[in-house]
Amino acid sequence: MQIKNDVSIRSIQHYLYCAHRWGLMEIGKVWAENYFVTKADLMHQNVHEKNIYIKRGKKVFTAVSVYNDDYNLYGVVDCIEGTVSKKGVKIAGENDTYDLCIVEYKPTKPKGEEFYFDDAMQVFAQKLCVDYVFHCDCDAVLYYADVKQRITLPLRENYSLYEQKLRCILREMDAFCKDGIIPPI
């Protein structure tokens, strides 16, 4: 794909939300926290602590580090739930095999739509990494804390659309970084 720079999964969502702000953070190295960042950080506090536990019959792995060499992506997934399955994948240190599902936590559900495209793109990048590391085809959901609701993302159904869009985004980000240009407002 010819992407030179390693890209954190989190930075993809920052770029999609506001390319200028992403440029200030990634290229200009200027960033100040605000109310929304602080609120999201507090909500993620539990899932950012590396942990393994069982909840509702599923094995839950939090703060899972993942990567994908083919896309030069890396990051941390909030949570991966493992459902015991004979057709599942083996996880180091575990006796069972599991079907995996990414759970990405978000503070608030969007009004008027099931999910934000930016959030879906972030989770698609996570899926590429989880699938790469664990040699699987995982599911993915967004969990909205304010309404305590899970939304299953249609990543398999729209795989080629998400992949094409992600490749374009990564090329744009790579070009801005290479040229040292912060995108305009």
Side-chain angles (χ1 to χ4, degrees):
M1 186 161 89
Q2 304 302 326
I3 300 298
K4 304 285 188 277
N5 296 307
D6 291 337
V7 178
S8 86
I9 295 167
R10 186 175 181 172
S11 71
I12 294 167
Q13 187 183 33
H14 287 303
Y15 180 80
L16 289 171
Y17 178 75
C18 177
H20 180 71
R21 184 179 81 169
W22 166 83
L24 291 172
M25 291 181 337
E26 295 292 324
I27 299 166
K29 304 296 183 202
V30 178
W31 175 247
E33 285 195 16
N34 62 23
Y35 165 80
F36 299 106
V37 173
T38 302
K39 182 179 176 184
D41 285 347
L42 288 172
M43 187 198 71
H44 280 86
Q45 204 165 25
N46 289 338
V47 294
H48 284 177
E49 293 177 14
K50 206 165 209 35
N51 220 338
I52 300 173
Y53 57 92
I54 295 176
K55 186 174 186 179
R56 292 188 205 109
K58 297 178 181 178
K59 193 88 169 218
V60 180
F61 306 86
T62 60
V64 180
S65 296
V66 294
Y67 67 95
N68 184 311
D69 287 334
D70 297 333
Y71 291 83
N72 285 1
L73 289 172
Y74 69 94
V76 176
V77 177
D78 286 346
C79 173
I80 297 177
E81 291 179 341
T83 304
V84 175
S85 168
K86 291 181 182 179
K87 295 181 180 179
V89 296
K90 185 79 173 136
I91 296 177
E94 297 295 321
N95 295 326
D96 294 314
T97 55
Y98 300 93
D99 288 335
L100 302 181
C101 181
I102 296 167
V103 181
E104 175 63 28
Y105 289 76
K106 296 295 176 188
T108 56
K109 185 173 185 345
K111 292 181 180 12
E113 53 191 323
E114 264 199 311
F115 57 86
Y116 291 122
F117 181 75
D118 301 6
D119 293 340
M121 285 304 302
Q122 175 191 9
V123 177
F124 181 73
Q126 291 174 350
K127 175 179 172 41
L128 289 175
C129 293
V130 169
D131 289 351
Y132 183 86
V133 169
F134 295 103
H135 309 288
C136 65
D137 184 15
C138 69
D139 292 317
V141 299
L142 290 170
Y143 176 78
Y144 293 110
D146 62 336
V147 293
K148 295 180 175 42
Q149 180 183 16
R150 287 172 170 241
I151 301 293
T152 300
L153 293 172
L155 301 181
R156 284 192 189 113
E157 300 85 349
N158 299 307
Y159 190 94
S160 60
L161 168 73
Y162 283 110
E163 184 180 36
Q164 181 181 16
K165 181 67 177 167
L166 181 64
R167 287 180 186 274
C168 181
I169 292 163
L170 292 173
R171 281 191 296 270
E172 288 172 13
M173 292 170 71
D174 193 56
F176 282 122
C177 286
K178 179 182 168 203
D179 298 338
I181 296 173
I182 296 173
I185 294 176

